[in-house]
Amino acid sequence: MTTMAPDTGAQDTAGYEAVFDAAVAAEERIEPRDWMPDAYRATLVRQIAQHAHSEIIGMQPEANWITRAPSLRRKAILMAKVQDEAGHGLYLYSAAETLGTGRDELLDKLHSGRQKYSSIFNYPTLTWADVGAIGWLVDGAAITNQVPLCRCSYGPYARAMVRICKEESFHQRQGYELLLALSRGTEAQHAMAQDAVNRWWWPSLMMFGPPDAESSHSAQSMAWKIKRHSNDELRQRFVDICVPQAASLGLTLPDPDLRWNEERGQHDFGAIDWTEFQEVLRGNGPCNDQRIGQRRRAHEEGAWVREAAAAYAAKHGKATA
Ligand SMILES: [Fe+2]
Ligand SMILES: [Fe+2]
């Protein structure tokens, strides 16, 4: 879309709103300089920021295992994966910047607890198998959530998601392959893989957010074509994808109620413990304090890098001029 509204202050915006609505209805992309409703902009900033924060906080649980990876090959793969997540954060903070909200402001909100990141990263990585379970289940759930975002109505976000999804699919496969190696290994390795899946399965299902009936932002986001499918639809899709994959891994999913429903053509699954979800969201998960503490420390310790980069840019800019 290319219709650009001049800065008209309090002037009536009904005409612009109609152009915006028509563009969204016609599956056109809204671009940074197009007119957009304030609430659409605010919703996007909130969602993209939470997504960006999740990418960079999500580096911590896996980085925890880089020094202890069991082989050079595994270490190289894990380092590449963790670096990818930093890159995802960068694309997303840049997408938020196109909406007029800078990275400093968003990081400040993360560090002061005014913006959230995905609760999944408040769980600890206790064994090497957790790296596999995170890749298979957490990156797998992220892909299920994010593939529809490649068609999001806001152009910069949609385009960032295309690249991110390609990398997430590599992450998912490395996790699957790692778990397969453990599952086919010794009895102790198989048990380690099963234990990791037991711990990560339910939190992964929570990644899709609260049930549709309780999801406060869903309806408006669907109308704006930011979101394309409901939380419950995506969760169901994820369960249906994982069941046959677990079978080929030789691992079981920790849910006695999980079974194929012939009538629905989908799997039925057990009730999710939403009390646990709410508790982690409130800051009472196993690692909330550790994650945010580490993030703040990294930011403070990186101050000299930001200062040096700014000084270099200023000097370089002057020289060019
Ligand atoms: Fe990512
Ligand atoms: Fe990832």
Side-chain angles (χ1 to χ4, degrees):
M1 191 175 115
T2 50
T3 310
M4 194 180 145
D7 184 8
T8 49
Q11 197 181 309
D12 178 33
T13 56
Y16 297 121
E17 187 130 29
V19 174
F20 170 86
D21 288 344
V24 170
E27 298 287 332
E28 285 173 29
R29 293 279 169 272
I30 307 300
E31 296 297 338
R33 296 173 73 187
D34 293 335
W35 183 91
M36 63 188 85
D38 290 343
Y40 175 83
R41 186 185 299 274
T43 297
L44 277 168
V45 169
R46 193 192 64 243
Q47 179 171 336
I48 296 172
Q50 178 167 333
H51 192 164
H53 300 331
S54 303
E55 298 285 357
I56 62 166
I57 296 273
M59 295 168 73
Q60 293 184 34
E62 291 187 283
N64 180 36
W65 280 92
I66 289 176
T67 55
R68 292 173 289 168
S71 68
L72 182 60
R73 174 174 170 268
R74 291 290 179 197
K75 191 191 289 249
I77 293 171
L78 184 55
M79 282 175 66
K81 197 229 179 209
V82 172
Q83 283 184 343
D84 281 353
E85 306 300 4
H88 297 174
L90 190 63
Y91 308 155
L92 289 163
Y93 286 120
S94 302
E97 258 165 14
T98 68
L99 291 158
T101 310
R103 212 187 312 177
D104 284 354
E105 183 185 333
L106 296 180
L107 284 174
D108 191 48
K109 283 184 173 159
L110 170 67
H111 298 153
S112 59
R114 282 173 292 155
Q115 277 179 347
K116 302 225 174 283
Y117 55 89
S118 176
S119 284
I120 191 82
F121 300 118
N122 291 316
Y123 290 87
T125 39
L126 303 179
T127 71
W128 170 251
D130 287 32
V131 171
I134 290 179
W136 178 42
L137 296 172
V138 176
D139 290 276
I143 296 169
T144 310
N145 253 329
Q146 290 169 10
V147 163
L149 288 174
C150 298
R151 294 187 296 125
C152 163
S153 57
Y154 187 59
Y157 191 30
R159 289 189 289 274
M161 292 319 302
V162 172
R163 183 152 172 193
I164 289 177
C165 282
K166 285 183 185 156
E167 293 176 352
E168 295 299 1
S169 116
F170 154 71
H171 298 169
Q172 196 265 354
R173 279 178 282 174
Q174 68 82 34
Y176 182 90
E177 195 259 345
L178 194 165
L179 283 180
L180 188 64
L182 289 176
S183 178
R184 289 178 176 170
T186 65
E187 215 171 289
Q189 287 172 326
H190 180 92
M192 190 198 277
Q194 183 61 60
D195 170 67
V197 168
N198 290 349
R199 283 181 289 108
W200 289 93
W201 173 248
W202 291 105
S204 302
L205 294 190
M206 295 174 197
M207 282 175 70
F208 296 92
D212 293 349
E214 292 155 36
S215 178
S216 48
H217 304 300
S218 279
Q220 182 60 76
S221 284
M222 302 262 274
W224 278 329
K225 296 188 182 170
I226 295 172
K227 223 174 135 87
R228 297 283 180 162
H229 308 280
S230 77
N231 295 355
D232 287 332
E233 274 168 25
L234 292 168
R235 188 167 13 244
Q236 179 70 54
R237 186 178 293 178
F238 178 66
V239 171
D240 292 333
I241 291 170
C242 287
V243 171
Q245 290 183 349
S248 23
L249 279 171
L251 298 170
T252 52
L253 296 171
D255 179 358
D257 298 324
L258 188 63
R259 60 181 60 85
W260 179 251
N261 182 323
E262 194 64 58
E263 228 165 89
R264 294 201 300 126
Q266 290 172 324
H267 292 86
D268 291 335
F269 54 97
I272 294 170
D273 180 3
W274 291 112
T275 329
E276 175 183 322
F277 178 77
Q278 293 301 340
E279 273 306 298
V280 180
L281 206 61
R282 264 196 286 273
N284 302 324
C287 301
N288 295 58
D289 293 343
Q290 185 186 332
R291 300 292 184 239
I292 206 70
Q294 171 62 25
R295 174 90 274 285
R296 285 197 200 111
R297 210 156 40 242
H299 191 72
E300 281 159 24
E301 285 170 6
W304 70 272
V305 179
R306 292 189 296 278
E307 279 160 28
Y312 177 82
K315 194 171 155 187
H316 190 70
K318 223 178 271 171
T320 315

